[in-house]
Amino acid sequence: MKENFDVIEKIVPLFDSPARFGEIGEYLAHNSNLPGPRSNLTLAFKFSDCFEHGPISDCLLDLLVGWVHISSEKAPVNSPREYLPFCGILALGAHYYYADEKTRNTIMEQFKISMNDKRWRTREGAAMGFQKIAEKDFDLIRQQFLHWLPGSSNLEKRAFAAALAHPPILKNNDTARFSLSVCENILDKILTYGSEIRRSEDFAVLSKGLAYSISVFTAALPEDGFAVMKKYARIKDPALNKIIKANLSKTRLTKKYPQMIEEVTALLRESS
């Protein structure tokens, strides 16, 4: 779509005109591809690229923060305006590396909101926004996730796993090991959950995120990843067993590691 490539020409000139900020939102919503099965990711990423510099004006920062705060009542799932919270958090993630400390704190407050949003697309925007930060400086993500992890909600845990399951950052072995350690922390926490939490929608969202992310980490660091899966395959827990089994079915592992998959599968059979 040509409009994907006109974003700088059409939108950036409006950044210095707060009175015309409404036109930015209208342009994005109009070209969002919503309602529909897939939003316009190309446009969203090109828009976020416009913020990979520093500083930005307070008015522009307020615009992005305001989009993050658009409620699900005002912008329900699959409506064109749902695209704005997604674009807002993605753009804030793109800008984070270049921001001063005060602005970084503001941005992280918005990530908290987006990670816990009712709308799956907004939550996905948070994970992608984290990935933009991680690509620039992974230590920023490492420090933030370690700070948040102990008291995190299940939706936040899902965001951590989804954000880390990003092959470009997993080329670094230390990053892959850290990602596996985060998953171990989450899986250990699941073991403490009672039936009420396990029946919740938030837990279902977390489980779906873990059902693929561990395989991404294992593909990056096979020996360590399969060791983690064996560890939890030995534990008789239906939720954990289901998560491990789902990861074993991913093509990224089945094509290369049939023997290791059989070993983990055998442990799952023993624990069932």
Side-chain angles (χ1 to χ4, degrees):
M1 297 174 68
K2 186 175 185 296
E3 56 266 24
N4 291 339
F5 303 97
D6 289 345
V7 61
I8 295 177
E9 177 184 346
K10 290 179 179 292
I11 291 181
V12 171
L14 303 178
F15 285 177
D16 295 324
S17 305
R20 299 183 66 188
F21 279 179
E23 296 177 38
I24 301 175
E26 290 173 5
Y27 176 88
L28 293 173
H30 179 73
N31 293 291
S32 65
N33 289 353
L34 300 176
R38 295 181 181 86
S39 63
N40 191 340
L41 288 180
T42 302
L43 177 59
F45 272 89
K46 285 190 172 295
F47 176 73
S48 71
D49 288 346
C50 298
F51 295 87
E52 291 191 341
H53 62 83
I56 61 175
S57 70
D58 290 342
C59 290
L60 203 49
L61 178 64
D62 288 344
L63 175 69
L64 300 177
V65 170
W67 287 353
V68 171
H69 284 256
I70 297 174
S71 68
S72 58
E73 289 73 27
K74 293 183 178 179
V77 171
N78 214 30
S79 68
R81 282 186 62 78
E82 185 201 9
Y83 193 60
L84 298 183
F86 175 83
C87 288
I89 196 61
L90 191 64
L92 289 171
H95 181 63
Y96 185 86
Y97 176 80
Y98 305 92
D100 58 32
E101 184 176 358
K102 180 181 177 181
T103 303
R104 284 184 173 185
N105 290 336
T106 297
I107 291 173
M108 281 302 159
E109 290 171 3
Q110 311 319 307
F111 270 102
K112 271 278 190 181
I113 293 169
S114 296
M115 285 189 290
N116 289 286
D117 198 277
K118 296 178 181 179
R119 295 159 295 192
W120 70 267
R121 190 170 279 115
T122 303
R123 297 195 301 265
E124 197 64 26
M128 292 179 177
F130 281 136
Q131 289 169 355
K132 278 193 158 291
I133 300 170
E135 288 174 356
K136 293 287 192 302
D137 186 347
F138 186 75
D139 280 342
L140 294 173
I141 289 298
R142 186 196 307 271
Q143 293 166 15
Q144 192 65 56
F145 285 7
L146 288 175
H147 175 66
W148 276 341
L149 189 58
S152 57
S153 69
N154 281 331
L155 292 182
E156 289 166 1
K157 289 179 174 65
R158 185 270 171 191
F160 303 155
L164 293 169
H166 187 47
I169 65 175
L170 295 173
K171 294 176 182 179
N172 182 295
N173 287 347
D174 288 340
T175 300
R177 289 191 186 95
F178 173 78
S179 301
L180 282 167
S181 73
V182 169
C183 276
E184 288 188 83
N185 183 291
I186 295 172
L187 294 172
D188 286 341
K189 186 65 176 179
I190 289 175
L191 287 170
T192 71
Y193 287 168
S195 58
E196 184 176 354
I197 294 178
R198 291 175 183 237
R199 288 194 298 267
S200 69
E201 183 178 346
D202 289 0
F203 181 73
V205 172
L206 170 60
S207 297
K208 288 178 182 178
L210 293 172
Y212 77 90
S213 57
I214 298 173
S215 71
V216 179
F217 308 141
T218 301
L221 209 61
E223 184 176 347
D224 296 55
F226 279 110
V228 168
M229 286 200 279
K230 285 181 178 180
K231 172 184 173 181
Y232 292 98
R234 293 185 176 96
I235 300 173
K236 189 174 182 179
D237 184 283
L240 263 61
N241 293 163
K242 184 177 180 180
I243 288 168
I244 298 302
K245 185 177 180 180
N247 280 280
L248 293 176
S249 70
K250 304 307 179 188
T251 304
R252 65 179 63 92
L253 299 184
T254 58
K255 285 187 174 181
K256 291 185 177 181
Y257 309 105
Q259 180 59 41
M260 296 300 295
I261 288 173
E262 177 52 38
E263 291 177 15
V264 180
T265 301
L267 292 173
L268 285 171
R269 285 196 293 263
E270 292 174 7
S271 64
S272 63

